[in-house]
Amino acid sequence: MAVLVHLLACAFGLGSWVAVNGLWVELPLMVTALPEGWDLPSYLTVIIQLANLGPLLVTLIHRLSPGRLKERYVVYVILCVGVLACVLLTFFWDRTTVVGGAPHSTAFFVLTFFLSLVDCTSSVTFLPFMTQLPAKYVSTYFIGEGLSGFIPGVIALAQGVGIAKCVNVSSNHSGQVSWSIQTQYLPPNFSTELFFFFLAAMMCVSLAAFIALNKLPRSIELSMQTLVQETVPSVSGGLETKDGGSKHLSKLSMYQLSFIYFLVLWVNAATNGLLPSVQTYSCMPYGNLAYHLSAALASVANPLACTIAMFLPNRSLVFLGVLTVSGTAFGSYNMVMAAMSPCPLLQGSVVGEVLIVLSWLFFTGTLSYVKVMVGVILRDRSHSALVWSGAVAQTGSLLGSLTMFPLVNVLHLFQSGDFCNTHCPR
């Protein structure tokens, strides 16, 4: 029965960020079909941030009327909305309407808002619901949350999103033929409609798992009363003491709690706002292979880090702080390479490609481990602590996105390069 609960907790986590992650990995195909073109990511960023109205409303209700809002009913609603929005995207994602005299992807924008509302609100509802399960299942839930980004990424790789080759193209000007090398994107292996169908299926799996978790018998100890009594010193144990032992966590000092919430804020700002905005700038100068490997392995790093956190938990705040600094260092390298685009360090060399791929892998992996462990620590504190953790996480994501949006789209501090035609000094 415990294995079944682990599987259900993991499947439930699939619905947390699958829609937004799916939209991002499918962008290389959609920008060639929708009228907004390469301005589409800018629109998508704004829409996702507007959807933070969902977690803000949930947090305010918890603050003003404690205990009145039941996560179970909110989760039912948002998962059903997510399934419906994904199904509608399958049929209407490329439909346009004329607004202000120009065609716009109105249907795509509206459905994207509802999908973003689902995913953003999951931060303050899914994890607090998990307080009804023993702590050992929280890490399994985080594995599912990591898979919500990994699986769409694997599907996109199988689809062949953004795969390109360099081709010689001839042009005739006044009888004179000239040749140039251009980037030509290959057709995908299957359609965008089928990709959105896969996303809808994943949302259905999450909804079915959630229904099953609510129907499980009380004999497997899912009640809050059993949760309070649980004192197994594994991942649900306390902060490590100086001598390497552990003690059950009952209270945190104000300094410890402030530090933990700072970790939540920074980790989510970096992983959800700051670095994703520049991944193409940091990787594409090294070629398509480096870009796709960094995206795929970074997606693998998230669930892998969650699995490691389940079997090798370390709740020491000093250790988590060191790990956060290490992850930030890898992220800084990625940011510097993006700023140097289209001519980053070691471009055109195998060493440069390996470094950028490993840097993205360790950046995602280290900060994902931190994210899991602070979630487990706050889970032991209280239900309210997890609600506020979700709110802080969304605030960090919002601040990261708002910081990068003007730098990328207004000031244009980052420059993209055509890897077929970019010539950098050696």
Side-chain angles (χ1 to χ4, degrees), residues 16-333:
S16 56
W17 285 98
V18 62
V20 167
N21 287 326
L23 292 177
W24 278 112
V25 297
E26 192 68 5
L27 273 179
L29 283 183
M30 292 190 291
V31 295
T32 62
L34 297 180
E36 290 77 15
W38 282 105
D39 288 336
L40 194 62
S42 302
Y43 286 95
L44 191 60
T45 301
V46 173
I47 291 172
I48 292 174
Q49 299 314 317
L50 288 176
N52 279 299
L53 292 173
L56 176 62
L57 179 61
V58 171
T59 304
L60 287 176
I61 294 176
H62 275 291
R63 177 65 176 175
L64 300 177
S65 301
R68 183 172 183 178
L69 186 65
K70 304 299 182 183
E71 277 85 14
R72 181 174 61 177
Y73 302 114
V74 179
V75 173
Y76 273 125
V77 171
I78 64 175
L79 283 176
C80 289
V81 170
V83 172
L84 180 60
C86 286
V87 171
L88 291 176
L89 269 177
T90 303
F91 298 99
F92 301 107
W93 73 273
D94 57 350
R95 301 292 179 87
T96 61
T97 56
V98 177
V99 179
H104 286 281
S105 309
T106 310
F108 175 75
F109 290 154
V110 172
L111 293 173
T112 295
F113 173 78
F114 282 104
L115 283 177
S116 303
L117 193 66
V118 171
D119 290 3
C120 292
T121 308
S122 73
S123 296
V124 292
T125 54
F126 282 25
L127 194 55
F129 169 78
M130 292 298 295
T131 60
Q132 300 180 51
L133 280 75
K136 59 186 177 182
Y137 299 114
V138 175
S139 295
T140 311
Y141 164 81
F142 276 112
I143 293 176
E145 186 178 277
L147 290 174
S148 72
F150 171 65
I151 294 178
V154 171
I155 296 174
L157 287 175
Q159 187 183 16
V161 170
I163 299 297
K165 63 179 181 179
C166 300
V167 296
N168 286 320
V169 178
S170 63
S171 58
N172 193 322
H173 299 285
S174 303
Q176 294 184 348
V177 178
S178 60
W179 293 84
S180 62
I181 300 178
Q182 294 183 5
T183 303
Q184 184 181 86
Y185 288 92
L186 303 180
N189 296 321
F190 53 86
S191 66
T192 299
E193 289 81 4
L194 186 57
F195 179 83
F196 285 134
F197 175 79
F198 284 130
L199 296 188
M202 290 181 65
M203 293 297 297
C204 288
V205 169
S206 179
L207 176 59
F210 180 68
I211 294 173
L213 285 173
N214 280 280
K215 298 296 183 181
L216 287 173
R218 291 293 176 182
S219 60
I220 62 171
E221 303 179 343
L222 298 187
S223 66
M224 287 296 294
Q225 291 80 5
T226 304
L227 176 65
V228 173
Q229 296 171 3
E230 183 184 10
T231 57
V232 178
S234 58
V235 71
S236 60
L239 293 172
E240 287 192 353
T241 57
K242 291 183 179 180
D243 60 1
S246 65
K247 58 182 179 181
H248 184 69
L249 178 64
S250 57
K251 290 184 179 180
L252 290 168
S253 70
M254 183 59 64
Y255 295 109
Q256 289 175 316
L257 193 60
S258 299
F259 179 69
I260 289 173
Y261 278 124
F262 169 76
L263 292 182
V264 174
L265 181 77
W266 173 246
V267 166
N268 283 274
T271 57
N272 298 335
L274 296 174
L275 272 300
S277 302
V278 298
Q279 184 168 17
T280 53
Y281 295 99
S282 68
C283 298
M284 282 302 292
Y286 295 100
N288 275 327
L289 179 61
Y291 173 71
H292 286 286
L293 281 178
S294 65
L297 293 180
S299 298
V300 173
N302 193 311
L304 180 60
C306 296
T307 305
I308 293 174
M310 177 189 297
F311 295 102
L312 297 173
N314 190 327
R315 300 175 52 141
S316 166
L317 294 185
V318 174
F319 175 76
L320 296 180
V322 171
L323 212 58
T324 301
V325 173
S326 301
T328 301
F330 289 116
S332 299
Y333 178 83

